[in-house]
Structure formats: structure tokens, C-alpha cells
Amino acid sequence: MSIRQRFAESFARSKTMSGPEKKANEIMGKILLKKAILPIVAMIAVIIIFAVMKLSGWYAFAINIAIAVGTFFYIKNETKKYQTFKPYVGNLIKVEKKGKNDYVAIIKQGKMPVKLQIAYGGEDLENIKKNQLVQISYNPDYKIAILVTKQ
């Protein structure tokens, strides 16, 4: 499959995404961008150090390529971890704001209440009334919650 075909497929998929899918992609994109900042800073530092020390630019280029390849595989493995969402459907009992972006949501799913610690995506739950039926996709490893539907 050529790059052009993959881009066309990705572009078409982005146009047909639902609201929750767009929200999930936005949250995961921001998190992965934060993880990519350190390698970018390291690459710039390598260029500056090699320029100040007046060493061969080819060595700096080789080190930057190694950093880029390592970052690519690291980000690729991290994206797999972000794709594991568990669905929760039930009545939203309570949403508490613990910090600037940290929330705790309690959902009554069947007879047992479920407590969700939310670091990303909790602001969508603030405007929901008590005992309203919601469907939430939740990633317990990274505490990402995506509000799928509310009734």
C-alpha cells in the first residue's frame, strides 16, 4: 500500500469519525505530543553541542537519526497501550473534581457502583445530571475517559 493510499484512507476515516472518536484521538494526540517533546529537545541539544564543539555534522546527523528511530518505535508501542478501552454503561451517581484536571466519577453499573479515576476527559462529565444514563469508554492504565452517549 503506497503512502498516498494510506493518507487517503486516513483522511476518509477522519471525516467519518463520530464525536467520541474525535475526542479520543484529540486526547491521545496531546498525550503523545507531550511524550515526543523530550526527544525533540535532545535532538536540538545534539545539534547545538556539535556546533559549539565544532565536530563533524555527520556524527550529529547519525545521532539525531538514532534518536528519531528510537522515538518512532517508542511512540508506536505507546499508542498500542492507549487503545485498550473498557466500556462502562450505567447511571452517573457523582462526579467530583479533585484537582485541575483530575476527576472521580462514580457510575452505578447494575447493582455495584464503579469508581473511575479520570485524568483526561473528565470535563465532559461535569454537565451531566445526577442519575443520568451514560456510556463511557475508560482506559484504566492512563485514566482516560471518553463520554460516548448520555440519555
Side-chain angles (χ1 to χ4, degrees), residues 3 5 12 14 30 32-33 35 42 50 59 63 69 73 82 85 89 93 101 104-105 109-110 136 140 145 149-150:
I3 292 175
Q5 288 173 334
S14 71
K30 287 179 183 177
L32 290 173
L33 191 60
K35 290 186 181 255
F50 273 75
Y59 294 126
I63 291 171
V69 169
F73 287 111
Y82 286 118
F85 281 95
V89 178
I93 295 174
N101 290 329
V104 175
Q109 189 174 14
I136 296 174
T149 58
K150 59 183 177 182

Side-chain angles (χ1 to χ4, degrees), residues 10-112:
S10 174
F11 183 75
R13 188 174 59 237
S14 71
K15 291 296 180 186
T16 59
M17 271 188 211
S18 66
E21 287 176 320
K22 286 182 183 179
K23 180 74 174 175
N25 279 343
E26 179 184 320
I27 290 171
M28 288 185 276
K30 287 179 183 177
I31 294 171
L32 290 173
L33 191 60
K34 287 179 186 176
K35 290 186 181 255
I37 289 175
L38 183 64
I40 292 170
V41 170
M43 292 171 83
I44 292 171
V46 165
I47 292 171
I48 292 171
I49 290 170
F50 273 75
V52 168
M53 296 179 73
K54 297 181 182 175
L55 297 174
S56 175
W58 288 107
Y59 294 126
F61 179 71
I63 291 171
N64 280 339
I65 292 296
I67 291 171
V69 169
T71 302
F72 171 77
F73 287 111
Y74 173 72
I75 298 281
K76 188 175 180 181
N77 283 342
E78 286 295 309
T79 56
K80 290 178 185 174
K81 295 176 186 175
Y82 286 118
Q83 301 298 326
T84 56
F85 281 95
K86 184 176 179 184
Y88 289 96
V89 178
N91 293 334
L92 184 67
I93 295 174
K94 186 165 97 172
V95 176
E96 287 183 31
K97 189 170 186 175
K98 293 291 184 181
K100 184 178 179 185
N101 290 329
D102 295 334
Y103 295 87
V104 175
I106 299 175
I107 298 174
K108 187 172 183 184
Q109 189 174 14
K111 291 186 178 183
M112 286 191 83

